[in-house]
Amino acid sequence: MDVSVDPQGPSMKIILELQPEHFNKEENLTHSQFARLLWIPRISALYHTKANNIFPSSHLDQKTVSVFVRYQGATFSKQFWETLNSEQNQSICVTLTIAHIGKTSYMFQGDIVVPGNSTAVAQHYVQMVHVSTETRRPIPLPQWVTEKYRHLSKSSPPENMQPLTSWPNRVQKYCVTVAQRDIDVNQHTNQASYVKYVEEAISGGLRSGFYTVLGQITDPFIEKVGMLYRRETLLGDQLEILNWEDSAKPRKLFFSNLKKQQSCI
């Protein structure tokens, strides 16, 4: 992994090497594995020595403060999925730039470039929240962050999404229990595991013929993803993933992750 930082951005560029385990048996990069890859630049922005005094979460007291993801999303060109396979493009370049500073959170946005192509084939964005390890509730960003990046508090935040508060009568249900392999350093379900649950739910829907629109697309690829995290899920929690189509919005799938009938994602 190669890391470079531009303090003026402030931005970070990371070269990530793709490994065989990132691909499925058809030699395609899966979205859940890509979600795990995207976590590496975010972790680097938190803890890499080159990020000290530049990124908002450097120098945190990890005994009292954790960093949670509130929202994340990405848009992909078809070229992204076509060019990334296990025999070509063994690395990707991921950039992170601070786009907005709030009271308890900040937003990253960035591009993804594959070797031999100077044009971004994907964009990603994520909202990071500082929380108390004791209460698991948001706390203010450090004073040095709000002072240093005061100008970014006046900028418009990147795209976000609103919670899904209702769903149609016809939904597919997929149930899963959070396993140890799904837990991250914050002792809650890793964001990539939620993507894996969605992939499994979609596979089940395709096999059962549940989808009326998606089932008719001969060469589907993921164009856009948005995930809003509302509540934590923990080891052993039993989750119910609802998913459905909306005839008014073809080619779009909706998901709601429920824990004891409460929406978590």
Side-chain angles (χ1 to χ4, degrees):
M1 182 177 72
D2 182 26
V3 179
S4 59
V5 173
D6 176 10
Q8 302 302 317
S11 62
M12 173 179 282
K13 181 171 69 174
I14 297 181
I15 307 297
L16 297 175
E17 299 296 327
L18 301 181
Q19 305 299 327
E21 59 266 25
H22 295 140
F23 301 86
N24 60 19
K25 61 183 180 180
E26 285 80 27
E27 298 187 345
N28 295 319
L29 178 68
T30 65
H31 191 268
S32 57
Q33 288 292 352
F34 178 71
R36 292 187 186 279
L37 280 170
L38 274 188
W39 190 244
I40 297 175
R42 298 168 191 169
I43 289 293
S44 298
L46 299 183
Y47 305 119
H48 200 285
T49 55
K50 290 184 179 180
N52 288 347
N53 300 316
I54 298 176
F55 291 99
S57 298
S58 61
H59 295 306
L60 287 182
D61 181 354
Q62 297 179 41
K63 293 181 179 179
T64 60
V65 183
S66 290
V67 183
F68 288 3
V69 173
R70 167 64 173 167
Y71 170 74
Q72 68 174 0
T75 57
F76 305 94
S77 66
K78 190 174 184 179
Q79 183 185 9
F80 174 86
W81 301 108
E82 289 177 340
T83 56
L84 286 177
N85 60 65
S86 61
E87 295 189 351
Q88 299 175 358
N89 301 305
Q90 295 295 312
S91 63
I92 57 175
C93 176
V94 180
T95 63
L96 280 178
T97 300
I98 302 176
H100 181 74
I101 295 287
K103 294 181 179 180
T104 62
S105 68
Y106 56 95
M107 296 284 290
F108 278 135
Q109 66 181 16
D111 294 331
I112 295 151
V113 178
V114 295
N117 192 334
S118 60
T119 303
V121 292
Q123 291 79 38
H124 65 106
Y125 25 91
V126 61
Q127 181 184 13
M128 312 288 284
V129 185
H130 283 195
V131 300
S132 163
T133 55
E134 181 179 359
T135 65
R136 314 291 276 190
R137 301 296 301 168
I139 58 176
L141 296 175
Q143 185 176 354
W144 74 265
V145 174
T146 56
E147 291 178 353
K148 184 171 185 174
Y149 298 120
R150 191 181 306 275
H151 63 289
L152 292 177
S153 66
K154 300 175 183 179
S155 63
S156 298
E159 176 184 350
N160 208 317
M161 67 180 296
Q162 298 302 312
L164 297 173
T165 57
S166 62
W167 39 83
N169 293 327
R170 185 178 182 272
V171 298
Q172 180 191 235
K173 298 181 180 181
Y174 175 75
C175 297
V176 64
T177 300
V178 179
Q180 183 63 56
R181 63 179 177 275
D182 299 327
I183 300 299
D184 64 16
V185 294
N186 287 319
Q187 298 306 306
H188 59 201
T189 308
N190 183 278
Q191 44 88 30
S193 296
Y194 290 117
V195 180
K196 180 187 67 174
Y197 300 158
V198 166
E199 289 175 337
E200 292 169 351
I202 292 175
S203 295
L206 288 171
R207 288 194 301 269
S208 67
F210 173 78
Y211 304 116
T212 59
V213 176
L214 183 62
Q216 297 176 6
I217 301 175
T218 57
D219 186 24
F221 70 95
I222 297 174
E223 187 175 81
K224 188 175 184 178
V225 175
M227 300 181 72
L228 180 67
Y229 300 87
R230 304 179 66 188
R231 295 176 180 86
E232 290 184 278
T233 64
L234 310 174
L235 178 65
D237 281 346
Q238 296 181 353
L239 309 180
E240 185 177 52
I241 291 85
L242 308 182
N243 72 96
W244 65 94
E245 294 177 303
D246 185 342
S247 59
K249 299 176 181 178
R251 301 179 68 90
K252 183 176 288 189
L253 293 180
F254 296 86
F255 294 85
S256 187
N257 189 324
L258 305 182
K259 171 185 172 181
K260 297 180 179 179
Q261 300 303 308
Q262 285 191 313
S263 179
C264 300
I265 299 179

